[in-house]
Amino acid sequence: MYKKSIPNYLFCVCCAVCAVAIAPMDTGFRASAQTASTDLSFEVAMVKPVDPSYHFDGKRFWAHVNPAGASYWYMTPVNLIEYAYDVESFQVTGPEWANTNHFDIEARFPEGADKKDDRRMLQALLKDRFKLAFHIEKRELEVHVLVVGKYGEKLTPSLPDPASLGTDTALNPGDSNVGGGPAKSKTTKNPDGSSTLDMGKKGTQTMKFDKELWAWHYERSKISMEELAQRLSNCLGSGVHKVVDETGIKGTYQLAWDCPSAVPRPTTGTDAARTLSSDPQDGSSLTQSLDALGLKLEKRKMLQDVYVIDHLERPSEN
């Protein structure tokens, strides 16, 4: 799903950052020191800025990798850095436009390249086309920790995988495929207005926006506690917040939870003065949905790597 607060398809892969030498907290090192062992780069890459008037489409967002190449759709420089270096967006800080300007990138792998190396190739592209330079600092940041509640977990284990996983079957009216190759998923529009994403061996995800709660309601047929923690990072108000799984629970489960929208409720007419704020202010729907699972979130301070952008340019024309 997304990595944003709209439908959140959060899904990505590996990193080639060299080890950071022990240093004072306010020091770091340049990105140029991080790729000593790689000459990997895309054979061809087209970078195109997205028109600001473009209407966001969740199906055309984030990284899509196949054996021949990769597409990076509607991604800001911060999105590209977090994907390329396998970090979260809150760990990247830089100029304002790096969070607001979106780009589409279409790239082709060189002959014999492994698609697992796409992140390393994207790192090279960022340095070549965006002139990226950065250093890493250790900073104490507030994080949320997912733990088991006072009365224990109330989880339902996921069912065994079906014999046939159905993503290659004929599409019904209103259905569509997302992605390609082995990672292809099928989306179905349901009569109640919800959408179900069939992700094959990863199970299904059904989602619907609840206007009364002003939150996205998610149901997953197969999800681990670690992945749930990652998904909750987008449910805690504006921006992305680090959520660490400390439940100690292994395996996969059938879960349902509410993810409050970070977008404020609209104000209209005479209701404007008494319009409720978005749910993240008190987190009631999220808290209640986690409580039903026997889980809860706690706030803690932890040292985190922060990628500080020293230099970044808008990419040159193709």
Side-chain angles (χ1 to χ4, degrees), residues 15 59 73 142 148 160 296 310:
C15 161
K59 294 179 184 178
W73 292 330
E142 184 178 85
V148 176
K296 66 177 183 177
D310 298 313

Side-chain angles (χ1 to χ4, degrees), residues 160-171:
D161 292 336
S164 175
L165 297 170
T167 54
D168 289 321
T169 57
L171 298 178

Side-chain angles (χ1 to χ4, degrees), residues 90-130:
F90 71 87
Q91 293 175 270
V92 183
T93 179
E96 183 178 351
W97 71 268
N99 274 298
T100 58
N101 289 26
H102 296 82
F103 297 87
D104 286 342
I105 300 175
E106 297 291 343
R108 188 168 68 215
F109 296 150
E111 186 176 353
D114 190 325
K115 69 177 185 178
K116 292 180 180 179
D117 289 326
D118 83 296
R119 292 181 188 244
R120 294 167 66 189
M121 294 186 223
L122 183 57
Q123 291 173 20
L125 180 143
L126 286 167
K127 293 169 187 174
D128 178 44
R129 301 291 292 276
F130 289 79

Side-chain angles (χ1 to χ4, degrees), residues 4-175:
K4 298 289 179 189
S5 61
I6 321 184
N8 295 332
Y9 294 90
L10 296 168
F11 309 125
C12 315
V13 215
C14 164
C15 161
V17 182
C18 295
V20 182
I22 298 174
M25 193 175 298
D26 63 346
T27 63
F29 62 97
R30 295 280 170 177
S32 58
Q34 295 171 258
T35 53
S37 63
T38 177
D39 294 319
L40 280 175
S41 61
F42 295 117
E43 180 176 301
V44 178
M46 295 181 61
V47 182
K48 180 182 178 183
V50 177
D51 190 311
S53 64
Y54 172 75
H55 180 67
F56 177 81
D57 178 0
K59 294 179 184 178
R60 202 174 188 283
F61 173 61
W62 207 247
H64 300 265
V65 184
N66 62 70
S71 299
Y72 307 96
W73 292 330
Y74 198 72
M75 293 176 74
T76 65
V78 167
N79 293 152
L80 293 166
I81 292 168
E82 63 175 303
Y83 177 77
Y85 292 94
D86 199 17
V87 296
E88 300 288 351
S89 60
F90 71 87
Q91 293 175 270
V92 183
T93 179
E96 183 178 351
W97 71 268
N99 274 298
T100 58
N101 289 26
H102 296 82
F103 297 87
D104 286 342
I105 300 175
E106 297 291 343
R108 188 168 68 215
F109 296 150
E111 186 176 353
D114 190 325
K115 69 177 185 178
K116 292 180 180 179
D117 289 326
D118 83 296
R119 292 181 188 244
R120 294 167 66 189
M121 294 186 223
L122 183 57
Q123 291 173 20
L125 180 143
L126 286 167
K127 293 169 187 174
D128 178 44
R129 301 291 292 276
F130 289 79
K131 309 305 179 187
L132 171 66
F134 65 87
H135 68 275
I136 298 176
E137 297 177 2
K138 287 285 188 182
R139 295 183 183 177
E140 190 174 55
L141 302 177
E142 184 178 85
V143 302
H144 291 76
V145 178
L146 181 66
V147 298
V148 176
K150 182 177 179 180
Y151 300 106
E153 53 89 357
K154 310 166 190 175
L155 304 175
T156 302
S158 56
L159 299 174
D161 292 336
S164 175
L165 297 170
T167 54
D168 289 321
T169 57
L171 298 178
N172 296 316
D175 293 354

